[in-house]
Amino acid sequence: MLVYLRVFKESFSFALNALRNNKLRTFLSLLGVTVGIFSIIAVLAAVDSLDKNIKDSLSGLDKNTIYISKYSFGPTDIPRWKRDNYPQTGYDDYEFIKRNVPNIEASAYVIFGGNETIRYQAETVGNVNVTPVSHGIYEIDDLKIENGRFYSELESDTGAPVIVVGSNLAENLFGTVNPIGKQVRVYGRKLTVIGTLKKIGSGFGDSPDDKAFVPANFVRRFKNGGIGGLPGAVAIKPKAGVDIDGFEQVLKQKVRVFRGLKADEEDDFFVNKIAGLMSFIDGIISVLNGAGWLISGFSLLVGGFGIANIMFVSVKERTNLIGIQKSLGAKNRFILFQFLFEATILAVVGGLVGLLFVYLISVVMNGVVEDFEFILSFGNMFLGFFLSTIIGLISGIIPAISASRLDPVEAIRTGM
């Protein structure tokens, strides 16, 4: 055992000396692996961060939440021209579902609003996602109030001119002033701020922090959406413990009857489930991961070939030295370990430098981008270290074997 440890130690020392004596060559070899490991781990960390931020933004939603709409939240086989002819999901659909579908814990009518400009005195914030929605969304989306309150069911039904704003929007409009009771101008009309939401900090691009909520019936007073009606959806949260598949079938049948669809006619609406949306997102994340591995793998492959090339050059340059070592009694395994350690050290150090760069980028991004958390997990760091080690072993094994098998006499003669 001590003999093998001594062989490892001496081989390791020879490898370090060889690397120190060829600084430029070592640097170029490190660079290839560094770029490869940096590319793979940076892509994986970015995709993991995107996945986590998206999931966090949807964490307040019950996975069993269902949206009835003319739009599909995921891919569909129904052709575009058919979908375009579907009627908009209107407020009458919402009222019918609310009254006639059993086992509903909460429901809400949502109008797909565009970006609006909100003004308070001299302050103006543009491109604000103002969502007209009925009172039930407070329970469905699990919204949290920081100050004030959410509008009541009565205010929702009567279309009261009130508004609830996200934390970032409140800060941009009012600064340190308490916004409760203040009047803002939206849609060219005055609304009273009755509540602000707690900060979530999601980076999905649709965070409640930057949104505002107004009663859907308030918007329905002055917007009719033309012939097709306002683009909207009915959000439904089933009661806990309900059989979701059975609930969905009952829901679809009720809506079909309400819309007068015959037995041989197709649905003219989509039943979108949050669970299905989650699966769709997981599919996209998997594709991104695969694409990242494919693209970054080429960089890592180039780095591996670079190390292998350098090792073959090292064997060629040190042929005479190998012959002398063997003539003095060095075993094949000593020569093998010497070159194998050299290749592995190159790859591991290059990988660690790549991981360091990814870590520095994560620190910078987390300091600059407020609403997006860049995550460099221990799993990805270990993967980077493991990959660099494997690349070193694979890249160095053939040169190391060829060096260990050299005939001492021929090696000395060749190197002279």
Side-chain angles (χ1 to χ4, degrees):
M1 185 66 181
L2 292 176
V3 175
Y4 283 103
L5 290 176
R6 184 180 177 185
V7 170
F8 273 104
K9 180 182 178 182
E10 291 181 358
S11 301
F12 191 75
S13 299
F14 269 98
L16 286 178
N17 288 331
L19 294 176
R20 279 196 293 263
N21 293 332
N22 297 279
K23 294 182 176 61
L24 180 59
R25 181 189 300 169
T26 300
F27 171 75
L28 294 176
S29 301
L30 286 175
L31 190 61
V33 179
T34 297
V35 172
I37 294 296
F38 171 82
S39 301
I40 286 182
I41 303 306
V43 169
L44 293 179
V47 173
D48 286 348
S49 302
L50 179 64
D51 185 31
K52 184 179 184 301
N53 280 272
I54 291 175
K55 296 294 178 59
D56 286 348
S57 69
L58 298 175
S59 61
L61 293 176
D62 190 318
K63 289 185 178 181
N64 293 326
T65 300
I66 295 173
Y67 283 82
I68 300 291
S69 175
K70 72 169 287 185
Y71 308 103
S72 175
F73 290 179
T76 176
D77 294 330
I78 298 176
R80 176 71 179 270
W81 65 269
K82 274 191 177 182
R83 288 179 279 144
D84 288 343
N85 290 323
Y86 286 176
Q88 292 288 358
T89 303
Y91 194 78
D92 52 347
D93 292 300
Y94 160 68
E95 289 187 316
F96 173 82
I97 292 171
K98 184 179 178 181
R99 290 194 307 265
N100 296 278
V101 178
N103 297 318
I104 292 180
E105 183 174 334
S107 61
Y109 176 61
V110 186
I111 297 174
F112 300 138
N115 291 337
E116 304 289 341
T117 297
I118 299 182
R119 294 182 175 85
Y120 170 69
Q121 296 180 355
E123 297 295 332
T124 301
V125 179
N127 295 320
V128 178
N129 184 347
V130 180
T131 304
V133 60
S134 59
H135 168 78
I137 201 66
Y138 179 71
E139 185 175 351
I140 293 174
D141 279 4
D142 194 27
L143 300 174
K144 306 295 184 182
I145 294 293
E146 179 73 25
N147 294 310
R149 60 180 178 85
F150 203 80
Y151 44 82
S152 65
E153 188 171 1
L154 178 61
E155 290 170 322
S156 176
D157 292 340
T158 58
V162 293
I163 185 171
V164 177
V165 297
S167 59
N168 291 344
L169 180 57
E171 183 178 346
N172 292 333
L173 277 175
F174 304 101
T176 58
V177 177
N178 183 5
I180 305 303
K182 302 295 188 294
Q183 286 193 327
V184 296
R185 184 170 288 273
V186 192
Y187 305 113
R189 292 164 169 79
K190 289 183 178 180
L191 293 92
T192 302
V193 178
I194 61 171
T196 61
L197 300 175
K198 285 185 178 180
K199 188 176 183 65
I200 294 178
S202 170
F204 187 35
D206 194 30
S207 170
D209 296 346
D210 302 301
K211 293 175 67 173
F213 296 89
V214 299
N217 281 346
F218 171 77
V219 175
R220 291 179 66 237
R221 290 178 181 175
F222 54 88
K223 283 190 177 183
N224 56 27
I227 297 175
L230 290 169
V234 179
I236 304 156
K237 180 180 180 181
K239 290 182 178 179
V242 171
D243 176 40
I244 298 302
D245 292 334
F247 179 85
E248 182 181 345
Q249 292 302 317
V250 171
L251 176 63
K252 289 178 68 173
Q253 187 59 36
K254 292 281 188 181
V255 176
R256 285 180 59 85
V257 170
F258 177 69
R259 293 193 171 188
L261 296 175
K262 298 178 181 178
D264 59 343
E265 292 181 318
E266 296 180 350
D267 295 339
D268 58 0
F269 57 91
F270 287 100
V271 179
N272 300 288
K273 292 186 288 188
I274 295 298
L277 178 61
M278 292 283 196
S279 299
F280 178 63
I281 292 172
D282 288 339
I284 294 177
I285 294 299
S286 297
V287 171
L288 292 176
N289 268 323
W293 272 101
L294 181 63
I295 296 171
S296 304
F298 285 108
S299 299
L300 199 57
L301 192 63
V302 170
F305 282 135
I307 290 179
N309 184 54
I310 292 298
M311 295 311 300
F312 277 117
V313 172
S314 296
V315 172
K316 185 71 174 176
E317 288 181 347
R318 287 148 56 186
T319 300
N320 186 41
L321 178 59
I322 294 170
I324 294 173
Q325 287 176 336
K326 282 199 164 191
S327 66
L328 294 175
K331 302 294 184 180
N332 286 353
R333 61 175 176 270
F334 177 83
I335 305 299
L336 176 70
F337 286 139
Q338 178 181 328
F339 285 92
L340 202 56
F341 277 138
E342 187 173 335
T344 304
I345 291 170
L346 276 172
V348 169
V349 173
L352 291 177
V353 175
L355 288 175
L356 177 62
F357 285 152
V358 178
Y359 172 74
L360 293 176
I361 288 177
S362 69
V363 172
V364 172
M365 287 192 63
N366 287 331
V368 174
V369 183
E370 294 183 0
D371 292 336
F372 188 90
E373 183 183 3
F374 191 90
I375 302 166
L376 179 58
S377 66
F378 175 79
N380 281 335
M381 294 178 68
F382 178 79
L383 178 62
F385 178 81
F386 176 76
L387 282 177
S388 59
T389 304
I390 294 299
I391 288 296
L393 290 173
I394 295 175
S395 302
I397 189 65
I398 296 178
I401 291 175
S402 65
S404 67
R405 291 179 176 177
L406 287 174
D407 180 81
V409 177
E410 291 295 327
I412 294 174
R413 183 184 300 161
T414 303
M416 293 179 65

